[in-house]
Amino acid sequence: MRHIMTKSLPNIGISSLLCVLISIFSYSNVALSFENPDTQQAEEPEKGPHRGRLLKDDNFALELAIFETGVPPEFRVWITDEGQPVKPSDVSLNITLTRLGGVEDNIKFKPQGDFLRGDTVIYEPHSFVVTVTADYQGKSHRWQYDNFEGRTLIEAEVAKALEIGTSIAGSATLKESIAVFGKLNTHPEYRRDISARFAGTVKSVDVALGQRVNKGQSLLTIISNETLKAYTLFAPIDGVVVSRQANPGEQTHARVLLSISNNTALVAELAVFAADRHRVSLGQTVRLSAKGSKQPVIAVIKQIDHRLQPNQSVIVRAELSNNKAQQAGQFVAGSFVKAEIEVAEHPVSLAVKRSGLQAFRDFTVVFVKIGNQYEVRMLDLGREAGEWVEVLGGLKSGAEYVSENSYIIKADIEKSGASHDH
């Protein structure tokens, strides 16, 4: 005789999305949730004296439990007939677990004491369709039920509207870095101080403070004190007038009259403290970001000071291009910056993006996507650097997992009540 017990998966439809959007606009301080009137909590299954699920066929009954006290999770089964214990060796038992994606675990049993003990570790998540077959005294008994946890169903158009993004798990290079702070200065080769070649009187100043000038453009006209002839000073580089110390009628007095600066190339002066000094070397890549910058830019370490600053740090200088075509000229000399100096690289065979990780029960997890279904995967994690985290176990290479807005999946699973149940 076949008994089928099911626990429905939550199914998020378009109407649910509309409910969410209405809730967001109506209650800005209410957390995102999905309402689905078709999703009902399954009745709590009947339990036996060992806190396992009871499966009955007339007077024949099994109590099926996942036991994990002091051992990896395994099935243990106690059997009764007409309310009386049955000798475990008199029953032939087999359980098949069908997981999301069609993977099957076939479990055989051997007698141990007053129960039958499964020969297979029940790895997480404990989410599967359970098929139980028991043969006793020439009669076959069969049950099937859903035991889902950490699983939900979201239609493709809803996932797209909620911007749920996925990635494929695979190899990656973890770039280890140290965080430092510093300040941007104009590259020494991209600044010019303009002085008069011959002492004289300033006849005219052709540019204003803050004005952008081109190489060869007229800057000042000077009347020589010796020859009383006028000569012109021209811009030696493209740039911006950042300092003006001259006005018509003034004497030049062998001083700086104008300064021109070009922010096409900048130098980041970064403070590295003693604990990290030995990890920094010439040629290393630096990722720089500043307040208001759209994205980090790449710089390269070109020089390391050999003397300590008063705060016991060493100044490391990294050069970066600030060309408009490349970085939209987003950095300005004098800006304070945060930097990540890449000090090591670690190729790993399997990694996931940090943005996809969520806390679930006592685990760190990602949610894999198979069709329109999403299910939790408990991870054993290793090293982490930047956006990547190494995966040592719990996920297969090539698996599609949620890497953007994974919190939506977690919230829906927790709301649906697809919980851990043995």
Side-chain angles (χ1 to χ4, degrees), residues 225-258:
N225 288 340
E226 292 186 6
T227 65
L228 300 181
K229 292 183 179 181
Y231 66 92
T232 302
L233 299 179
F234 299 96
I237 60 171
D238 295 338
V240 175
V241 178
V242 295
S243 173
R244 171 178 163 170
Q245 305 295 332
N247 289 297
E250 295 179 347
Q251 286 291 312
T252 58
H253 293 308
R255 58 191 172 90
V256 174
L257 305 176
L258 295 173

Side-chain angles (χ1 to χ4, degrees), residues 360-378:
F360 185 84
R361 298 203 331 253
D362 297 328
F363 302 94
T364 299
V365 306
V366 293
F367 299 99
V368 298
K369 179 179 183 291
I370 299 178
N372 288 335
Q373 295 190 71
Y374 299 80
E375 188 175 77
V376 68
R377 290 292 182 269
M378 288 72 171

Side-chain angles (χ1 to χ4, degrees), residues 23 28 32 94 98 116 122 140 152 215 220 246 257 259 262 264 266 283 295 340 353-354 382 384 400 405 413:
S23 298
S28 60
L32 179 64
N94 180 269
T98 304
L116 287 167
I122 313 302
S140 183
T152 190
K215 182 178 180 179
L220 305 100
L257 305 176
S259 294
N262 187 320
T264 300
L266 298 172
Q295 60 184 8
E340 298 285 340
K353 292 182 178 179
R354 189 191 302 269
E384 55 185 81
E400 184 179 4
N405 293 328
I413 288 173

